[in-house]
Amino acid sequence: MELNIGVKNIVKQKENVKKKISVLEPYLEFSLAIISGILILGGWLLDRFGYQTASAVLYIFAYVTGGFFKAKEGITETITDKKLNVELLMILAAIGSAIIGYWEEGAILIFIFALSGALETYTMNKSKKEISALFDLQPEEALLIKDGHEIKVPVKQLKVGDLILVKPGERLPADGVVVKGRTSIDQSAITGESVPVEKTLEDEVFAGTVNMSGSITVKITKPADETLFQKIIALVQNAESERSPSQQFIERFEGTYVKIVLIIVGLMMFLPHYIFGWSWNETFYRAMVLLVVASPCAVAASIMPATLSAISNGAKNGILFKGGVHLEKLAALRAIALDKTGTLTKGKPEVTHFIVSPAFEKEKNRILQIAASIEKHSTHPLAEAIVRYAEKYQLPLVDLDSVQDVSGWGVKALLNGDEWKIGKKAFMDLEGERTPDIPLTRKLQDEGNTVVYIQKNKKVVAFITLKDMIRPDSKEAIQRLKENGIKPVLLTGDNENTAKTIASETGILQYVAECLPENKAEEIRKIQKEHGLTAMVGDGINDAPALAKANVGIAMGEGTDAALETADVVLMKNDLTKIHQAIRLSKRMNRIIKQNLFFSVAVILVLVMSNFFQAIDLPLGVIGHEGSTILVILNGLRLLKSNS
């Protein structure tokens, strides 16, 4: 056991060292580049005063210091991946310049290349830091309540079932439920929403969120390494390493392109001498310039910084992408299928009407009080909604003589010699008077309401209607999708009337009623055939087959681990308008990538032609080449801004 702990500590120390080196690398690169520049300046001054040998020595040192990181990177990649790369082209160009006596130009090439490399590393790390910052949001220690005492312990020692105290201003160290106290929690690290959420007894809370006001006692429900927060970090890190189709193409293209450049450079070393009468020195020099200006650095950097920045932007706003491939696809969506329950609707039924028979109008509050007291003994979602409705009127519950849950029908109870029944119409008709059809109930059912009848001593005295209400943002979200030219389609297991009502309320024109979870995947296939690239939005559990079948699976994932497992994109806050935000982010990313590719290819063409007409020298070629690389990276980093 001790040996195992020792090994883990060594591994952890190595990881920490690697992390520190990674953080310091751009600064070390920058320092060596500056030293290289100073050496070049010294070599230039010595050369002007006639000390050619001393000047050459300083230039050699400038080559070594400035070119160390890029030479190491180029040689390592060539050996391990067995493919040629841009770094190798730069090294060959610098060495070639020195061979023909252009020590100063070769040294300047190394200096500018090293300087731009340090800046590239720094700017690339900027987007990664946005993601890595997530690690700092989970505390390392927690206040464990044990035998009435508060003990500060490492978070990793917490076990499921432990009680911890979280004071105002502190971050929660683990997932759990509130067992004592009341507070508001800043959940922006999980959901991206800036407004704190009220939490009280039995409410779920998550690691990485901030306790804003009162002290709370939390019962741990998950180990520290299995929290929703840790899964989000893992998901974003995996997304960072997953390549989009565009990036995969560029990486495949780069190796072939470098080979083509080397072949052309080889021809350039000889043909101009014979065709245009250039001197051998000029011919070789122009070949070295070509090595530099034709390198695809800017092309290679056109995609990854933009993709990483967009993924980071999404994570900050509660939109998690499992990779650049899914982010890229969103911009091309033509249709989107939406589940009803928990997606378009809140997923919890609410009382819409409580109507009492005219003969019992004076007993309205008493009937509601008894109904809530009976339903308190049931765990059915409709029963819970009725209890919540009664609580609004501050009606105290009464003690019943007996309660019987009749599975599939409703609930029976006895109170002061009276028999009460609550449930569906058929349950009322079993033993009581036949319940007449009421036009109002039929109308309400057509609008998607469920009717619950209340019977006293075999006579219906009232009925309650309940409905899974539309989310406040559903209509706006659907409207935005349509404005983007995306066809929304409702897939629901409800009957035709309910499906039609929900579709009408949200502005959806196409819907499929009585669509069971196992049939949704087939419906997705039909939508794809009719409209093209299709996304599916669901709750991430029973919609898993449809989410997998869609081109992009989007899960409503507020606090659900299942959503993280099944979907390509997860909306951590159950807000449908985030879909529009994700699509806009995708379009911005694709637009910036196209800008970068067009600009980088244009710069290469201009530099190559300028070199052919002997209009630029090596330093100017390097500045144009490296400058374009820096510009496309900075353009990609614009996506870190939150106005997606």
Side-chain angles (χ1 to χ4, degrees):
M1 181 70 179
E2 290 179 2
L3 180 62
N4 190 34
I5 293 172
V7 171
K8 284 183 178 178
N9 287 335
I10 292 171
V11 171
K12 186 177 180 181
Q13 286 173 3
K14 284 185 176 180
E15 288 176 353
N16 289 336
V17 170
K18 284 182 180 178
K19 195 181 289 185
K20 287 178 182 177
I21 291 173
S22 176
V23 171
L24 292 173
E25 190 170 308
Y27 300 103
L28 186 57
E29 275 192 69
F30 188 76
S31 299
L32 289 178
I34 295 300
I35 292 171
S36 174
I38 294 170
L39 290 170
I40 291 169
L41 180 61
W44 179 80
L45 289 172
L46 288 172
D47 186 49
R48 294 297 177 276
F49 287 103
Y51 299 101
Q52 280 80 15
T53 303
S55 173
V57 170
L58 288 184
Y59 283 141
I60 290 170
F61 278 112
Y63 271 66
V64 174
T65 54
F68 174 76
F69 274 101
K70 289 300 178 183
K72 179 185 173 186
E73 187 178 336
I75 293 168
T76 302
E77 191 173 319
T78 302
I79 294 171
T80 55
D81 297 341
K82 293 183 172 53
K83 67 176 184 180
L84 300 171
N85 52 59
V86 172
E87 286 75 18
L88 201 61
L89 295 185
M90 294 294 136
I91 295 163
L92 290 174
I95 293 172
S97 299
I99 290 172
I100 59 173
Y102 285 89
W103 285 94
E104 185 180 314
E105 283 84 348
I108 291 172
L109 163 60
I110 289 292
F111 166 66
I112 297 177
F113 192 50
L115 190 62
S116 67
L119 290 172
E120 284 176 41
T121 305
Y122 175 78
T123 51
M124 285 286 285
N125 282 354
K126 186 172 177 62
S127 61
K128 291 184 179 181
K129 279 179 183 177
E130 296 282 336
I131 295 170
S132 300
L134 288 170
F135 286 106
D136 300 329
L137 298 182
Q138 185 164 5
E140 295 182 356
E141 293 183 323
L143 278 177
L144 176 67
I145 300 175
K146 194 169 184 179
D147 301 326
H149 299 285
E150 297 172 12
I151 309 168
K152 189 170 283 189
V153 299
V155 170
K156 291 184 178 179
Q157 291 184 11
L158 295 176
K159 301 187 296 294
V160 174
D162 282 347
L163 296 178
I164 58 170
L165 178 66
V166 185
K167 296 178 180 178
E170 294 181 345
R171 288 192 180 273
L172 276 80
D175 289 3
V177 293
V178 179
V179 294
K180 183 180 179 182
R182 184 186 186 94
T183 188
S184 57
I185 299 285
D186 177 1
Q187 297 190 154
S188 57
I190 299 290
T191 65
E193 60 185 322
S194 57
V195 179
V197 180
E198 293 297 319
K199 298 287 183 178
T200 186
L201 297 182
E202 300 303 315
D203 283 343
E204 199 171 10
V205 290
F206 305 104
T209 58
V210 183
N211 181 16
M212 300 296 290
S213 49
S215 293
I216 52 173
T217 302
V218 176
K219 184 178 181 180
I220 304 298
T221 55
K222 290 178 187 172
D225 58 348
E226 294 181 15
T227 62
L228 180 65
F229 187 71
Q230 287 295 332
K231 290 185 178 182
I232 290 172
I233 291 174
L235 187 151
V236 176
Q237 285 181 316
N238 290 337
E240 181 185 341
S241 61
E242 186 178 328
R243 301 292 192 261
S244 68
S246 300
Q247 183 66 27
Q248 291 171 9
F249 170 77
I250 290 295
E251 289 175 357
R252 288 195 302 269
F253 164 79
E254 184 181 350
T256 304
Y257 181 85
V258 170
K259 290 176 186 175
I260 293 171
V261 169
L262 287 174
I263 292 170
I264 295 174
V265 167
L267 295 173
M268 186 83 173
M269 287 180 180
F270 303 100
L271 293 182
H273 173 74
Y274 295 107
I275 297 174
F276 304 111
W278 292 1
S279 67
W280 282 112
N281 202 49
E282 181 68 14
T283 301
F284 196 83
Y285 181 76
R286 288 298 156 192
M288 294 305 101
V289 176
L290 181 64
L291 260 182
V292 174
V293 299
S295 296
C297 288
V299 175
S302 293
I303 297 172
M304 185 52 72
T307 304
L308 286 177
S309 299
I311 289 172
S312 174
N313 186 323
K316 285 191 298 182
N317 287 284
I319 308 168
L320 303 185
F321 301 98
K322 286 193 175 179
V325 58
H326 314 300
L327 178 56
E328 193 173 295
K329 282 180 182 177
L330 282 175
L333 285 182
R334 291 294 171 266
I336 186 163
L338 302 105
D339 176 45
K340 187 205 82 168
T341 306
T343 302
L344 286 171
T345 65
K346 295 179 181 178
K348 285 186 176 181
E350 295 179 13
V351 173
T352 55
H353 298 85
F354 172 51
I355 299 174
V356 178
S357 172
F360 294 88
E361 185 63 39
K362 292 181 179 179
E363 300 179 44
K364 185 173 183 177
N365 284 350
R366 178 64 175 170
I367 292 171
L368 178 59
Q369 182 184 34
I370 294 171
S373 301
I374 295 171
E375 295 288 40
K376 186 69 175 177
H377 293 271
S378 173
T379 57
H380 194 283
L382 296 180
E384 293 173 359
I386 292 170
V387 174
R388 288 197 304 271
Y389 180 73
E391 286 173 350
K392 291 181 182 178
Y393 296 93
Q394 299 180 339
L395 299 173
L397 301 181
V398 298
D399 294 326
L400 304 167
D401 298 330
S402 67
V403 181
Q404 180 187 355
D405 191 355
V406 184
S407 182
W409 293 89
V411 186
K412 277 172 112 174
L414 284 175
L415 176 63
N416 300 330
D418 293 323
E419 182 188 68
W420 292 82
K421 288 168 67 177
I422 302 178
K424 59 178 67 174
K425 182 175 180 291
F427 185 38
M428 305 296 109
D429 295 343
L430 278 178
E431 300 168 350
E433 299 177 4
R434 186 180 180 281
T435 306
D437 287 327
I438 306 171
L440 177 59
T441 60
R442 285 202 304 272
K443 179 177 179 294
L444 291 171
Q445 284 175 317
D446 288 342
E447 293 173 357
N449 289 274
T450 298
V451 180
V452 175
Y453 293 85
I454 302 172
Q455 187 185 83
K456 177 184 179 183
N457 296 328
K458 306 188 188 310
K459 186 178 183 69
V460 172
V461 295
F463 67 85
I464 298 175
T465 62
L466 303 99
K467 186 178 180 180
D468 187 5
M469 304 300 287
I470 298 292
R471 289 182 182 279
D473 50 56
S474 291
K475 192 170 182 180
E476 178 190 352
I478 297 302
Q479 180 60 33
R480 287 186 175 184
L481 289 173
K482 290 196 285 190
E483 288 171 359
N484 276 281
I486 298 171
K487 178 84 171 182
V489 182
L490 170 63
L491 301 182
T492 177
D494 287 318
N495 59 46
E496 177 74 18
N497 286 334
T498 300
K500 186 177 180 180
T501 300
I502 295 294
S504 175
E505 289 180 3
T506 54
I508 297 175
L509 300 178
Q510 185 176 339
Y511 63 88
V512 180
E514 298 179 7
C515 184
L516 299 175
E518 56 267 28
N519 303 131
K520 286 182 179 178
E522 178 60 24
E523 291 298 331
I524 292 292
R525 189 190 65 77
K526 292 178 183 177
I527 297 168
Q528 288 170 328
K529 189 175 180 180
E530 181 182 354
H531 299 291
L533 204 71
T534 301
M536 169 69 193
V537 188
D539 60 16
I541 304 172
N542 59 359
D543 294 313
L547 290 168
K549 181 66 178 174
N551 299 102
V552 181
I554 304 174
M556 307 288 281
E558 192 172 62
T560 63
D561 291 349
L564 296 176
E565 301 295 333
T566 56
D568 304 315
V569 181
V570 181
L571 310 179
M572 292 310 300
K573 184 188 175 194
N574 289 1
D575 181 357
L576 280 175
T577 58
K578 293 283 185 182
I579 298 174
H580 171 70
Q581 191 173 344
I583 292 170
R584 282 189 61 197
L585 184 60
S586 174
K587 288 183 175 180
R588 278 187 67 205
M589 184 191 78
N590 287 344
R591 186 166 60 249
I592 283 175
I593 287 173
K594 287 175 183 175
Q595 291 170 359
N596 286 347
L597 289 172
F598 177 81
F599 174 73
S600 56
V601 170
V603 168
I604 288 174
L605 290 175
V606 169
L607 291 176
V608 168
M609 293 303 296
S610 300
N611 179 52
F612 183 77
F613 288 107
Q614 301 175 311
I616 59 170
D617 55 14
L618 186 58
L620 190 58
V622 173
I623 291 170
H625 173 267
E626 296 303 323
S628 65
T629 304
I630 294 296
L631 286 175
V632 298
I633 290 175
L634 293 175
N635 194 37
L637 290 177
R638 288 194 297 123
L639 285 164
L640 286 173
K641 293 182 180 179
S642 295
N643 58 333
S644 57

